[in-house]
Amino acid sequence: MAKSNTILFIFILTSFSTLGLSAYNVVDFGARPDGQTDSADAFLKAWGMACRSREPSIVYIPQGNFYVSSALFWGPCKNSILVLIKGTIIATSSIGSSAIKWLEFQNVQGLTILGGTLDGRGQALWACKLAHRSCPLGSISLTISKSKNVLISGLKSLNSKLMHVSIQFSEDVTVRNSFMIAPIYSLNTDGVHIQQSTGVNVLMSVIKTGDDCISMKPGTSNVYINHIYCGPGHGISIGSLADSVNEPGVQNITVKSVVFDHTQNGFRIKTWGRPSNGFVKDVSFHNAIMRNVHNPIIVDQNYCPNAYNCPGHVNEILTLRFINLFD
């Protein structure tokens, strides 16, 4: 995959140069690949130029380590944009950041994010949480919000403080050939988190985290998941649901060809034990290989982690466990 990505990088840059299309190198706007200088302003200036261009554009992050405190890349834009990453984008290692979203693309249509590495540097925050101290929630490494026709390909997300990739209020988003990696003891580091979104594909990716490999919350529909390696982590989850009485349902979810390796769960649906108008329907799981999975399939209608401050149990719990399913 690394070789094919390199060839694609060269092809794209050559094609843009030949066609005279717009390319904006963040270094030309003041970004420094030293891993220390905050390059957020330079990244946003390059994005602004690309977004205002009337022809398809590239925002190019070359090789090197670029520290970015946080950045919100706004749309709508006047064209489609490719964010081409050869280097590594680095977050602050401090646990004191108040930003819930580190890198966010909002209200963008026709976006491709290709290659590169995001290093969330969440180690200090995980240690704080594990010590049961008063800690901030953390920040999501990459958020796609209120956007349409988005492709994320060849991305490596490491050590996120919170979720690696979050897809919110968006349509037609694909994540493929990507890696989301954090240690098993990293709390709340879901690989791909989907909510209030439709037409999401997660394909041919490796997800090794301390939480759900893929999680789906209310308002998620038409999701296709195929060829995923999951583990360690909590598996592939729908929920938790029933956070409120009135919430949208989850529907049309297809999961195929997943390897679960040393995960807490395989396929999981979880709801709080309280009344809700939400629902789950038209969900199908196919062709799973499970190795050392505690709960291969679990449907929990009385979800309450740590048995703390649980709501009233209004439904009888239904738990299904199959040992060595399809293995």
Side-chain angles (χ1 to χ4, degrees), residues 40-74:
D41 187 58
F43 274 54
L44 291 172
K45 286 179 179 177
W47 172 263
M49 292 292 291
C51 189
R52 290 189 294 271
S53 174
R54 294 189 177 275
E55 57 192 12
S57 301
I58 285 182
V59 174
Y60 181 54
I61 297 97
Q63 290 184 340
N65 296 321
F66 294 89
Y67 165 58
V68 174
S69 52
S70 65
L72 171 56
F73 302 95
W74 282 91

Side-chain angles (χ1 to χ4, degrees), residues 1 116-118 141-142 152-160 162-167 174-183 186 189-193 201-214 228-233:
M1 188 169 67
T117 299
L118 308 181
S141 286
L142 176 62
I152 301 168
S153 181
L155 179 71
K156 181 182 289 184
S157 176
L158 306 176
N159 302 323
S160 60
L162 204 58
M163 303 160 189
H164 289 260
V165 177
S166 180
I167 301 166
T174 295
V175 179
R176 72 181 186 197
N177 297 328
S178 294
F179 297 82
M180 295 86 183
I181 300 174
S186 60
T189 55
D190 298 41
V192 179
H193 177 80
N201 305 298
V202 186
L203 311 171
M204 298 177 290
S205 295
V206 174
I207 307 175
K208 303 180 176 184
T209 73
D211 210 295
D212 295 327
C213 290
I214 301 170
I228 302 297
Y229 180 95
C230 171

Side-chain angles (χ1 to χ4, degrees), residues 150-307:
V150 177
L151 170 63
I152 301 168
S153 181
L155 179 71
K156 181 182 289 184
S157 176
L158 306 176
N159 302 323
S160 60
K161 292 183 176 68
L162 204 58
M163 303 160 189
H164 289 260
V165 177
S166 180
I167 301 166
Q168 308 171 1
F169 303 97
S170 294
E171 181 178 350
D172 297 331
V173 180
T174 295
V175 179
R176 72 181 186 197
N177 297 328
S178 294
F179 297 82
M180 295 86 183
I181 300 174
I184 191 171
Y185 54 82
S186 60
L187 301 177
N188 309 120
T189 55
D190 298 41
V192 179
H193 177 80
I194 309 165
Q195 66 182 55
Q196 296 282 4
S197 296
T198 186
V200 178
N201 305 298
V202 186
L203 311 171
M204 298 177 290
S205 295
V206 174
I207 307 175
K208 303 180 176 184
T209 73
D211 210 295
D212 295 327
C213 290
I214 301 170
S215 56
M216 290 164 274
K217 296 281 279 184
T220 298
S221 65
N222 303 323
V223 174
Y224 183 67
I225 298 167
N226 195 3
H227 283 92
I228 302 297
Y229 180 95
C230 171
H234 293 175
I236 293 178
S237 295
I238 295 175
S240 57
L241 307 179
D243 286 329
S244 62
V245 173
N246 296 306
E247 69 177 27
V250 176
Q251 59 186 324
N252 298 332
I253 311 298
T254 301
V255 183
K256 293 184 175 181
S257 301
V258 179
V259 175
F260 296 96
D261 195 355
H262 287 83
T263 55
Q264 181 189 65
N265 309 294
F267 304 119
R268 175 168 63 161
I269 300 174
K270 52 182 179 175
T271 73
W272 294 93
R274 60 165 68 97
S276 175
N277 295 329
F279 60 86
V280 178
K281 68 178 183 179
D282 298 328
V283 176
S284 62
F285 301 134
H286 308 266
N287 304 329
I289 296 174
M290 302 195 185
R291 306 188 183 106
N292 295 298
V293 175
H294 185 66
N295 298 309
I297 296 179
I298 177 169
V299 180
D300 186 352
Q301 294 179 275
N302 283 322
Y303 174 71
C304 187
N306 304 318

Side-chain angles (χ1 to χ4, degrees), residues 112-139:
T112 298
I113 300 172
L114 179 61
T117 299
L118 308 181
D119 187 351
R121 299 210 288 180
Q123 291 88 341
L125 180 62
W126 308 334
C128 179
K129 291 181 177 180
L130 289 170
H132 303 289
R133 300 198 299 268
S134 178
C135 317
L137 182 61
S139 53

